[in-house]
């Protein structure tokens, strides 16, 4: 709900004033948010390279003589149902320098048999059997096995990465020397196999946009330079909205405007009893708590107003 700009209107007592002395009506909090969002969008446009086909930059993701490795962390705990399909979709990617890091030490539903069968025959799949204290901790464990010069990605055991996604990640970052990451649209699939396209609501992850839209893109549809993710890490107190909490901290440090939207789907996210669907209300409450904590003072009133409209 983008607020419309209100024209300056003189009151009856001001009607006889010279035009230059007309007093502006004070901006509402929502109107102020719209102005800030517009300023941030202008900055994003300036950050885009003039020639999207240009190559060669100090921040380019192309290594000398090879493609930069894209490492994806997959935390798992008793999510056997779609795990095999998830791993097979990763294997089918036509990007050579890739790795899947599976963190699972405690599954008892047969997941380990599936993971073992893949990791023993495919050197691109690394199985980490280190005990974790939840998804955020498992992601941090996976990060320990990723070098600084890589690209970080995430998959849930019920996320199916679409063909060509990793090559799209590399191409998008290689064309944008100022970018630290990219995020994609996605498909949402229910238990009956019906798919629905989910389009991201905006083009970057600035603080005003995150306050307005909450999680703009799930972590499974977001790829960020590994040195950035390792520097910030995942907050262990985040049980459901760890991606949103990370985005907020990046945006607070003005890095969110360097994470660009790519208008194509990257995954099929299967909503069949996963955390996102089972704990939707708890996730929303947790997300608001993190946003309220990180928001600048002036944004706190705006957030209360936005929450009342949900």
């Amino acid at each position: 709900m983008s607020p419309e700009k209100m024209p300056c209107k003189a009151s009856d007592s001001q009607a006889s004033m010279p035009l230059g002395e007309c007093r502006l009506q004070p901006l509402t909090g929502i109107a102020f948010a719209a102005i800030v969002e517009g300023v941030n969008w202008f900055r994003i446009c300036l950050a885009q390279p003039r020639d999207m086909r240009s190559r060669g930059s100090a921040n380019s993701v192309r290594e000398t003589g090879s493609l930069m490795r894209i490492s994806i962390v997959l935390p798992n705990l008793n999510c056997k149902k779609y795990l095999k399909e998830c791993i097979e979709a990763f294997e089918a990617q036509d990007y050579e320098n890739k790795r899947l890091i599976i963190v699972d030490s405690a599954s008892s539903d047969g997941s380990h048999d599936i993971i073992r069968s893949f990791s023993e025959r495919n050197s691109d799949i690394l199985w980490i059997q280190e005990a974790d204290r939840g998804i955020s901790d498992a992601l941090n464990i996976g990060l320990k096995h990723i070098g600084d010069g890589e690209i970080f990605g995430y998959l849930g055991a019920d996320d199916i990465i679409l063909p060509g996604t990793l090559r799209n990640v590399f191409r998008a970052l290689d064309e944008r020397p100022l970018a630290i990451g990219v995020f994609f649209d996605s498909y949402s699939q229910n238990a009956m196999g019906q798919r629905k396209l989910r389009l991201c609501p905006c083009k970057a992850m600035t603080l005003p946009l995150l306050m307005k839209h909450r999680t703009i893109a799930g972590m499974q549809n977001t790829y960020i330079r590994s040195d950035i993710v390792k520097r910030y890490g995942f907050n262990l107190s985040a049980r459901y909205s760890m991606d949103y909490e990370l985005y907020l901290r990046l945006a607070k440090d003005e890095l969110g405007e360097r994470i660009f939207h790519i208008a194509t789907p990257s995954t099929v996210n299967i909503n069949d009893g996963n955390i996102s669907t089972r704990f939707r209300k708890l996730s929303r409450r947790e997300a608001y708590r993190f946003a309220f904590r990180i928001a600048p003072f002036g944004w706190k009133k705006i957030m209360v107003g936005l929450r009342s409209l949900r």
Side-chain angles (χ1 to χ4, degrees), residues 170-305:
F170 170 79
R171 184 181 299 115
L173 289 173
D174 198 39
E175 290 174 343
R176 296 164 174 82
L178 295 177
I180 65 162
V182 291
F183 62 96
F184 294 81
D185 301 325
S186 62
Y187 287 104
S188 178
Q189 178 177 308
N190 62 22
M192 302 298 293
Q194 299 169 320
R195 292 185 182 182
K196 181 179 180 181
L197 179 62
R198 181 191 183 276
L199 299 176
C200 294
C202 49
K203 304 298 183 183
M205 294 189 178
T206 63
L207 199 55
L209 292 172
L210 286 166
M211 296 297 175
K212 180 179 180 179
H213 299 290
R214 293 204 302 271
T215 304
I216 293 170
M219 182 60 72
Q220 66 270 34
N221 301 300
T222 305
Y223 294 81
I224 304 175
R225 278 173 29 195
S226 61
D227 59 312
I228 301 291
V229 181
K230 291 175 69 175
R231 186 193 314 164
Y232 283 80
F234 288 91
N235 188 335
L236 295 183
S237 67
R239 299 182 60 191
Y240 312 106
S241 55
M242 59 287 300
D243 48 1
Y244 183 59
E245 195 275 341
L246 174 63
Y247 300 158
L248 285 170
R249 285 186 285 133
L250 291 173
K252 184 179 181 182
D253 291 343
E254 299 186 349
L255 291 173
E257 62 197 46
R258 294 171 59 190
I259 305 176
F260 294 91
H261 173 241
I262 308 301
T264 189
S266 63
T267 61
V268 176
N269 312 136
I270 303 175
N271 300 318
D272 185 10
N274 59 10
I275 288 179
S276 298
T277 53
R278 285 187 292 136
F279 303 104
R280 189 181 303 277
K281 187 174 292 186
L282 289 173
S283 176
R284 183 175 298 178
R285 290 176 181 173
E286 182 181 79
Y288 275 123
R289 187 171 71 251
F290 287 130
F292 196 81
R293 183 184 305 168
I294 291 176
F297 177 77
W299 278 98
K300 297 188 186 297
K301 289 184 178 179
I302 298 173
M303 289 175 54
V304 172

Side-chain angles (χ1 to χ4, degrees), residues 6-15 19 21-26:
M6 300 299 293
C8 172
K9 180 179 179 181
S11 64
D12 293 339
S13 62
Q14 296 171 328
L19 183 61
E21 296 182 12
C22 175
R23 295 180 180 177
L24 294 173
Q25 296 294 321

